[in-house]
Amino acid sequence: MKFQSWRHVFKLDPNKHLDEEALHALIHSGTDAFLIGGTDGVNAENTFALFARVRDAGLPVALEISQPSQVIDGFDHYFVPTVLNAGTPEWIVGHHARAFERYGHFFDSRHVTAQGYLVLNPDAKVAHVTESRCDLSLEEAVAYAEVGHHLFRLPSLYIEYSGRLGDVDVVKEIRLSLPQAHLFYGGGIDGAESAQLMGAYADTIVVGNIIYEDLAGALATVQALR
Ligand code: 1GP
């Protein structure tokens, strides 16, 4: 199943505890895929441990690569973020160049997709790490997305509000400006209502934190999009 047809994704954090019962519920929730990734304390060991628990679940499992040392063979798909509004070139192209130095010979474009991130919650860890400029006007946010899609021709864009629900007008305007782009939205989705709100404009909704805080809320996000 290609990522373009994913409507709903659960993002699992290798550095967070998930018991068997919860994992079983997620596997049978009707979600389209699992995305494994996180910002804090993610390494090859905990990434592999989590991957081993979901690899035979019958769902696509993708890795969001946040550092080259975390790359593990065997995933169905790999996403490589490039943060369009990062404050340092490291997170736009620097880490990527170092990853290609090490792993370039393994590169297979059929299984690797660049995601043009717009990091828009200034309080999120990812915003601090990437020194992202989050105080963008609506027009500026759209312009960054347009650069990612039209100029860099990225195969997907990711509107990232990790930790809180974002501004639906930003998601809506980017959708209207870029009807052909594949839009991921993530941040603060905690139940049916927020899933529907952002799902009206984004192609793929990513649900993360709520898995660990309110499993019933997390499960409700899947049904809301069906
Ligand atoms: C994080 O966009 C995802 O990278 C999901 O965000 O954890 O706030 O659901 P939440």
Side-chain angles (χ1 to χ4, degrees):
M1 194 180 188
K2 289 191 186 312
F3 79 86
Q4 288 89 343
S5 61
W6 297 350
R7 187 77 177 110
H8 182 284
V9 169
F10 278 125
K11 185 165 178 176
L12 305 178
D13 188 334
N15 198 32
K16 288 188 181 162
H17 174 73
L18 189 64
D19 65 40
E20 274 309 311
E21 204 179 328
L23 185 59
H24 184 265
L26 297 177
I27 289 169
H28 296 280
S29 65
T31 189
D32 295 310
F34 288 122
L35 180 59
I36 293 185
T39 311
D40 262 334
V42 173
N43 56 44
E45 288 71 35
N46 55 21
T47 299
F48 184 76
L50 183 55
F51 176 54
R53 294 174 69 197
V54 293
R55 68 191 304 176
D56 297 322
L59 287 168
V61 185
L63 179 66
E64 183 183 74
I65 301 172
S66 52
Q67 47 171 304
S69 61
Q70 176 209 6
V71 177
I72 290 165
D73 194 26
F75 279 81
D76 298 300
H77 207 86
Y78 297 86
F79 288 104
V80 180
T82 175
V83 181
L84 298 168
N85 60 328
T88 153
E90 282 302 291
W91 293 98
I92 303 169
V93 69
H95 292 295
H96 316 69
R98 276 193 294 285
F100 266 80
E101 271 181 53
R102 273 172 75 171
Y103 299 109
H105 51 294
F106 286 126
F107 183 77
D108 179 347
S109 62
R110 292 169 302 171
H111 300 294
V112 183
T113 299
Q115 282 178 321
Y117 263 61
L118 264 181
V119 174
L120 295 173
N121 174 8
D123 300 322
K125 175 85 191 223
V126 62
H128 291 288
V129 170
T130 61
E131 299 171 46
S132 287
R133 209 192 126 205
C134 300
D135 60 340
L136 302 178
S137 67
L138 192 57
E139 293 74 19
E140 287 173 319
V142 170
Y144 272 100
E146 287 175 334
V147 168
H149 181 72
H150 289 310
L151 213 53
F152 295 169
R153 303 194 184 194
L154 294 167
S156 69
L157 298 174
Y158 193 128
I159 304 171
E160 172 68 292
Y161 278 92
S162 181
R164 77 161 167 89
L165 195 63
D167 181 348
V168 69
D169 288 336
V170 168
V171 186
K172 183 179 177 180
E173 285 304 317
I174 292 175
R175 169 81 294 152
L176 292 175
S177 304
L178 298 170
Q180 304 298 327
H182 187 93
L183 286 188
F184 287 82
Y185 170 85
I189 292 186
D190 60 1
E193 200 180 321
S194 47
Q196 280 169 347
L197 180 72
M198 294 305 183
Y201 305 109
D203 298 289
T204 307
I205 295 299
V206 182
V207 176
N209 276 323
I210 200 69
I211 295 168
Y212 306 94
E213 291 162 8
D214 171 16
L215 184 65
L219 296 173
T221 65
V222 186
Q223 293 315 316
L225 297 180
R226 302 298 175 210

